[in-house]
Structures are given as C-alpha cells and as structure tokens.
C-alpha cells in the first residue's frame, strides 16, 4: 500500500499540468465596440472541470474603440494586429496566442454576439471527456428568422459539400462557435485570409482529428454580416476554399479523377474521328483529332501531377508534424 501511495504522489508530481485545466475564450473582432461588452458579460467566469478561464480579444486592425471596450470589460489578453487581416488570419493568430498562453482548451466565439455564452459548457464537455478534439456548435439553420430562404439553402448545400469532402457528419460547417483541444489547435492551418470554418473542418477530417457537434441557439441579430456581403460573394469565396482544401489533403484522387475525365473525353473524340475516317473520307474531322490529342496529353499531365502530388503529400505531413512538435514544445516553455 505504501508503494502504491508513493507511486501516486510521483504521478501527481509529474502530471500536475495535465490535471490543471485552463480554458481561453478567444473573440476575433473588427470594429465591435457596440457588441463586445455584451459578448464578454455573457461569458462564463467559472465552469466545472476547469480551473482557470481567461478571455482573449483579437483586434483585427480595429479603427473604433473595440480595444478600449475590451479593457473596460476586463478582458485578460488583447492581441492587436497592425492592419485588418481578415477573419481567417485573426482566428489563426488567436489560436497561436492561446497555445502560447498555456490553454488546454480554446473556445472561439464571434464579436457580434451571435452565440450565447451559455453553451460553452456543452462545447467543451466532449473535450474534457476525451471524446472529441474539435467540437462545433450547430445552429438551427431552418429556425433562424433573420436568415433568408436562399441563405438557408446555401448553408445546407455548403455544409453537405463540406461533409462529403471531409468525411464528417457536422451539420453546420459554417458555425464559428467552436471548442478546440490544444493539440488539435496546434495541428490546424488556414491557407486563405477569407474564412477558417470550412477549411479547418476538411483538414480535421483528413488529419484524423475527432470531431463532434452540439446543438445551440443564436442571439438576435445585432448587425449585417461582414463576411458574406452578398450570396454571390459567398459562393465565389467558399467554392475555391473547399476545392483547394480537398485537393491539399486528397491530391492523388483529385488529379486522378480530373485526368480520367479529361482522358475519357479525349478518347471518345479520337474514336469518333477513327469511325468517320474508316467509314467515310474523314475529311473535315481533323479538328476532332487535334482536340482529342490535346485532351489526351492534358490527361497524361494530370496523371503525372497525381503521382507527384502524392509524393509531396508525404513531405507535407512531415512538415506539419514538425510544426506541431515545435508549437507543442513552445507551449510548454
């Protein structure tokens, strides 16, 4: 019994950090002086299973009194970016700062007070229970009154496409109300300055990060969306993000499918030329032969890209692992 007790004391001594749970709630802001005070006031001050709670405001080049309001509201940390970098950059800089501050769990919420703070316990619980590494608050899209019919349809279609590309079952992929374990946060990267929501889900799905979702509601609308000024803009920005993220993590499949489609059309056109060549004079169909040959050459190049990108994927994984280890070691300092 004495030996068992001694081992327990040694275990507690060397694993004290793992027993101490620190939560940092980050709030990316761009000119949110009218809403930030309400956001901070709505955040929890203490939670079961959490020893320390801190707030981080990311000042994304604000030109109003957002920073002043944050200080008056008692925010623990303010990270100021020199200019307006965009939501994705502000989110990623905040995540990095949170890990440097020793966060074990990170919650991201918006500065426009769209998300009620009461759901933070639900967001972090799967992480505390070690059942998930990334938890997303799923909004009742169809029940949100200030979402138009078209916006609801686009949200549904976009979430469906992201689910198929990521291999996940997240119903609301555009929700910014999220909780990350520290290790999951260190593994994620954002390559576009526009938005992080879609890209990080696709990354997480292909990197083997455990995802979960919990139902939430939303607060009344406080202002118009700055991220989606129009539906056409949303589609133009979101589609390349999804395609690029999928191609980054499934490059061989992406280029192989494109090569197969291109080669298939080229082969059909060449067969068409041969049919008319042997059944008639073949005059007037030389253009088909040229087009078919171009498509076949393009197909061959795409197949080569598939092989090359598959080799580069191995290097990318090694670089990501090295960066993860670097961030992990830095957070322990």
């Amino acid at each position: 019994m004495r030996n068992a007790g001694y081992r327990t004391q040694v275990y507690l001594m060397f694993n004290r950090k793992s027993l101490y749970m620190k939560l940092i709630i980050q709030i990316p802001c761009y000119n949110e002086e009218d809403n930030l005070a309400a956001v901070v006031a709505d955040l929890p001050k203490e939670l079961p299973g959490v020893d320390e709670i801190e707030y981080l405001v990311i000042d994304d080049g604000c030109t109003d009194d957002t920073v002043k309001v944050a200080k008056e509201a008692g925010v623990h940390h303010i990270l100021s970016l020199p200019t307006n970098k965009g939501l994705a950059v502000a989110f990623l800089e905040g995540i990095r700062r949170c890990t440097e501050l020793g966060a074990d769990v990170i919650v991201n919420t918006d500065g426009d007070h769209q998300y009620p703070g009461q759901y933070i316990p639900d967001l972090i619980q799967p992480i505390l229970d070690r059942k998930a590494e990334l938890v997303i608050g799923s909004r009742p899209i169809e029940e949100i009154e200030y979402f138009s019919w078209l916006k609801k349809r686009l949200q549904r279609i976009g979430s469906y496409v992201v689910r198929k590309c990521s291999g996940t079952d997240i119903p609301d992929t555009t929700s910014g109300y999220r909780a990350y374990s520290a290790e999951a946060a260190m593994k994620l990267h954002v390559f576009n300055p526009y938005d992080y929501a879609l890209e990080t889900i696709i990354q997480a799905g292909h990197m083997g990060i455990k995802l979960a979702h919990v139902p939430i509601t939303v607060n009344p609308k406080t202002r118009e969306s700055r991220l989606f000024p129009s539906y056409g803009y949303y589609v133009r920005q979101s589609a390349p993000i999804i395609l690029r993220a999928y191609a980054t993590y499934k490059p061989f499949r992406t280029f192989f499918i494109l090569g197969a489609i291109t080669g298939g059309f080229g082969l059909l056109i060449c067969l068409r030329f041969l049919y008319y060549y042997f059944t008639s004079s073949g005059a007037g169909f030389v253009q088909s032969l040229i087009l078919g040959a171009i498509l076949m050459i393009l197909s061959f190049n795409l197949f080569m890209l598939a092989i090359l990108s598959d080799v580069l994927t191995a290097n990318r994984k090694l670089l990501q692992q090295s960066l993860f280890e670097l961030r992990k070691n830095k957070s322990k300092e």
Side-chain angles (χ1 to χ4, degrees), residues 9-53:
Q9 291 178 7
V10 173
Y11 176 84
L12 292 174
M13 183 183 302
F14 288 98
N15 292 273
R16 192 168 296 170
K17 184 176 180 180
S18 65
L19 298 175
Y20 189 88
M21 186 62 61
K22 181 176 182 178
L23 166 67
I24 297 183
I25 304 170
Q26 71 167 33
I27 314 167
C29 292
Y30 178 64
N31 294 345
E32 295 290 1
E33 64 178 0
D34 295 331
N35 301 308
L36 183 57
V39 174
V40 176
D42 196 28
L43 298 178
K45 306 299 185 293
E46 57 182 29
L47 290 171
V50 177
D51 299 287
E52 184 179 3
I53 300 176

Side-chain angles (χ1 to χ4, degrees), residues 62-130:
C62 295
T63 57
D64 64 355
D65 289 331
T66 295
V67 173
K68 179 181 177 182
V69 172
K71 293 178 179 178
E72 292 174 349
V75 170
H76 304 82
H77 309 284
I78 298 175
L79 174 62
S80 293
L81 305 182
T83 58
N84 180 238
K85 302 291 186 179
L87 179 59
V89 175
F91 164 82
L92 194 60
E93 291 296 327
I95 288 290
R96 289 173 179 167
R97 184 59 179 151
C98 287
T99 57
E100 290 173 359
L101 292 169
D104 298 292
V105 181
I106 302 167
V107 168
N108 182 83
T109 188
D110 285 355
D112 62 356
H113 202 208
Q114 177 184 174
Y115 305 115
Q118 69 188 64
Y119 293 104
I120 289 180
D122 298 331
L123 282 172
I124 68 172
Q125 195 59 50
I127 297 176
L128 298 181
D129 294 339
R130 298 177 181 267

